Structures are given as structure tokens and as C-alpha cells.
Amino acid sequence: MTTYVWDYLEEYAKERTDLLDAVETVFGSGQLVLGKSVRGFETEFAAYHGVDHCVGLDNGTNAIKLALQALGVGPGDEVITVSNTAAPTVLAIDAVGATPVFVDVREEDFLMDTDQVAAAITPRTRCILPVHLYGQCADMEVLKDIATAHGLVLLEDCAQAHGARRHGRQAGTTGDAAAFSFYPTKVLGAYGDGGAAITSDAAVADRLRRLRYYGMEERYYVVQTPGHNSRLDELQAEILRRKLGRLDAYIEGRRAVARRYAEGLKDTGLILPATAPGNDHVYYVYVVRHPQRDCIIEALKSRGISLNISYPWPVHTMSGFAHLGYSRGALPVTEALAGEIFSLPMYPSLPRDVQDRVIGALLDVLAELS
């Protein structure tokens, strides 16, 4: 038997009745595009975060892209972000014609090193785009102060941090806007692609709604500014409405798995996830670190345990971003992490026997390497 990082079938078996009822609700409504389910989810997701507006979108990449556009970021602008992230964070910046500028991450928690941000600001800088990585928040109070002092907009990438908090404040509620992905593996996942952007700025929300709908007001057929077809699907919205009510339970399930890993793998030489002071971690992924990562992964694979790496290739080293001019060594912490980090299986319904199997196999492999 192979142990995989995530298997949606276990969740589906538990929630099947409610999910199929969501399908019936949408198909029986007579509204298949931007109907009651999208409006309902937008209202409820905004309320969950205590913000005024949520705009449902087709995926997380476009949530970042359209949020950047709605915030006025475009050609000629620079956006400060990190390279230890999923490529879509940076692809969205490129898609609006802006230039990504990378700062390194911190050794202890892999989050944006806020001490490097001010030095990266130039006359072309328009936006700071922190990534709330692996399930916890970047230092938003520091970034907010920097953005305010320099007249920059602040966009949060919350694709991995649904329900995470910093000093009690929800991820996505400090910046000018925040982008979310609802890819199936996320803490709040759809059964297909989906995304959203949240904001308390009515003008930004209005621009987002136009941008997702060809650049039109939804009740007219006049393009006011060139836009996109980036609407959240009505069926996925209804599924997300049902799952939103279980989000806090999903988070607690992830935290329970993380506690078992932490207890079972302490004092083994494996560097376990560190939670930054003030953060409430939701463990989108459980990322550990070891200098013999590749040997460990191969040894586990021979035992039928397949693990993921988040992320083996820093974005600034990818050939598709060679034009940015970053050389090896430009971001030393990010580059070191790429050779040492890997993710243990993590999802709320992960069976205890699978957790025990992973822990036991890791203990055996680490003992052999010591």
C-alpha cells in the first residue's frame, strides 16, 4: 500500500450526502452562473473574515492577478514577494506586466524576511505581496507599516492560510486586499478550481467584479475596461458554502495531526515546523527539514510512503524567470531550503494508523542515517 499526501475520497465518503445535496441545489435552481450560491458564498466568506467584500473567482492564480489589477498594479511596476512559494504567485505578477522583486525568507519559519523589504523598495515599487506560507501568516503588522510609510499597496497571498490568524486577526484582513485559492487540497478546498479575493475597499471590490466579468457591469453589456472571464463556478460556490461551515473543524483536525507528528518526531534530528510568535498555524502542509532529505525520501518510497516537496525549485531559479536576472546564491536561505524540505501527509481525515506508519518509518530511516 502506498501512502499519499492527500486523498479526497476519504473526505468525500464522510460528506457525500451534503455534497450531493449541493449539486441538486444548484442544478435545481435554474441559475448556473453568478447565481444565489456565488452570492451566498461571497457574503458568508466575507463575514467569516470580518471584511465588507468577497469576490468569487475562477482560481487562486487569477485571484492574485485580478487583485493586483484592481489595486492599480501594472506594467512598469515592481512587486516585492518571495521565491519560496508556488509559481502562480509570481506568474500572476508577470501576467499584469509588473516585475517581481524577491526578498529571502527566514531560516526559522520560512516566511518573508521583513528585515529585507525596505532595502528592496525602489521608485518603481508599487506593491508588497507576502505569502502566508504553509498555513501561517507573514509579519503583517511590520509589512503594513512599511507599505504605509512608502505609499505602497499590500496584497496578501492567502492560498495556504484559510483560517490562520496573527495576534488574533484573520489572514487576509490587514492588507488592502487578499487572494485565496480553493484548489481541492487547500484547507478550504472545492471539488475543482476556485478562488476569491476579499477587501474592505468598495472601489477595489467594484473593480474586481468588473474584471472577472469581461470588464462589464454585470447588468450591462458595455465593456468599461478590458477584463476577463474569471467567475467562480456556481456549483463550486455551493460546495464551498457547505464546507465553510466545517472549516474550523478541518483546521482542528490538521492541528491534531501536527501535534501527533511533533510528539512522535521530536529529538530525531528532523527540523519540525516552527510557529512564529503571535501566529495560529493551520498546517496546510506539514513541512520538515533535513540535510539528507533526498535519501530520506528514497528510503520512505521503498517502504511504500510517497512524500511531496514544497518547493524543490525556487521560482527565481526556474528557466521561465531567467529574464529577471537572479543568479544562484541571490537568496541563500530559499536555495538551502529547496534541497532540504519535504512535506509529511497532512489532511484532517488522515487516519491515525497512517500517521503512525509515517512516524515509525521516519524513525527507522533517521536511525539508519545517524
Side-chain angles (χ1 to χ4, degrees):
M1 184 187 78
T2 299
T3 299
Y4 294 98
V5 174
W6 184 75
D7 184 351
Y8 85 93
L9 291 174
E10 294 177 21
E11 176 186 275
Y12 178 65
K14 292 180 179 180
E15 302 182 357
R16 181 175 183 273
T17 299
D18 191 35
L19 293 170
L20 292 181
D21 182 68
V23 175
E24 290 291 339
T25 296
V26 172
F27 288 177
S29 71
Q31 294 182 310
L32 300 181
V33 178
L34 292 182
K36 293 180 180 179
S37 293
V38 168
R39 291 193 296 272
F41 174 71
E42 289 174 337
T43 298
E44 292 154 15
F45 197 66
Y48 180 86
H49 289 89
V51 299
D52 294 333
H53 307 280
C54 169
V55 179
L57 300 162
D58 54 345
N59 57 64
T61 308
N62 281 339
I64 300 173
K65 175 185 173 183
L66 270 63
L68 286 168
Q69 289 183 287
L71 291 168
V73 178
D77 293 331
E78 292 178 347
V79 178
I80 297 173
T81 191
V82 294
S83 180
N84 183 39
T85 183
T89 304
V90 185
L91 289 168
I93 298 170
D94 183 74
V96 302
T99 301
V101 173
F102 298 114
V103 296
D104 214 342
V105 295
R106 297 190 300 223
E107 189 92 30
E108 60 270 23
D109 54 26
F110 317 154
L111 296 167
M112 176 181 274
D113 188 343
T114 54
D115 290 341
Q116 298 187 19
V117 172
I121 295 172
T122 75
R124 292 176 55 196
T125 306
R126 174 66 179 141
C127 175
I128 304 173
L129 204 172
V131 178
H132 298 323
L133 195 70
Y134 303 150
Q136 66 172 326
C137 298
D139 292 357
M140 289 306 300
E141 63 276 10
V142 175
L143 294 173
K144 183 67 172 178
D145 287 346
I146 295 172
T148 300
H150 292 271
L152 308 177
V153 294
L154 184 57
L155 173 62
E156 302 177 52
D157 181 345
C158 296
Q160 302 183 16
H162 310 73
R165 292 176 181 268
R166 179 163 179 79
H167 298 303
R169 185 165 187 164
Q170 286 270 17
T173 63
T174 301
D176 297 285
F180 291 81
S181 167
F182 303 121
Y183 186 78
T185 60
K186 301 300 185 183
V187 180
L188 179 63
Y191 275 68
D193 278 316
I198 63 172
T199 183
S200 285
D201 187 320
V204 171
D206 286 344
R207 287 194 289 272
L208 279 163
R209 293 188 186 100
R210 286 195 298 272
L211 285 166
R212 76 169 176 188
Y213 193 75
Y214 310 112
M216 302 175 182
E217 294 287 352
E218 292 176 13
R219 61 186 180 275
Y220 298 122
Y221 291 90
V222 177
V223 173
Q224 296 181 328
T225 183
H228 313 271
N229 180 4
S230 296
R231 301 167 297 210
L232 177 63
D233 181 78
E234 188 75 359
L235 178 57
Q236 299 301 340
E238 185 61 32
I239 290 172
L240 288 166
R241 291 185 75 182
R242 310 300 179 93
K243 295 186 70 178
L244 179 59
R246 297 187 281 271
L247 176 55
D248 291 343
Y250 296 151
I251 291 170
E252 184 47 47
R254 289 174 178 273
R255 287 173 174 160
V257 174
R259 287 192 293 269
R260 295 198 78 232
Y261 281 147
E263 180 61 29
L265 296 170
K266 64 182 179 182
D267 303 322
T268 60
L270 200 64
I271 299 175
L272 303 179
T275 300
N279 276 353
D280 294 323
H281 208 309
V282 297
Y283 297 100
Y284 165 58
V285 283
Y286 192 89
V287 175
V288 298
R289 183 179 183 184
H290 196 281
Q292 293 177 275
R293 186 268 311 280
D294 294 342
C295 293
I296 293 170
I297 286 182
E298 284 302 312
L300 290 172
K301 189 180 297 183
S302 70
R303 290 164 166 81
I305 298 173
S306 297
L307 300 183
N308 197 15
I309 302 173
S310 301
Y311 302 93
W313 301 285
V315 176
H316 74 283
T317 68
M318 295 178 181
S319 59
F321 294 102
H323 62 283
L324 296 177
Y326 287 86
S327 59
R328 289 280 181 177
L331 303 172
V333 177
T334 295
E335 292 168 28
L337 292 177
E340 298 183 358
I341 55 177
F342 60 105
S343 306
L344 306 189
M346 170 57 75
Y347 50 95
S349 58
L350 184 67
R352 290 175 68 90
D353 65 318
V354 174
Q355 298 171 46
D356 291 339
R357 184 164 172 250
V358 171
I359 292 169
L362 269 169
L363 291 175
D364 290 344
V365 170
L366 290 166
E368 292 170 4
L369 291 175
S370 63

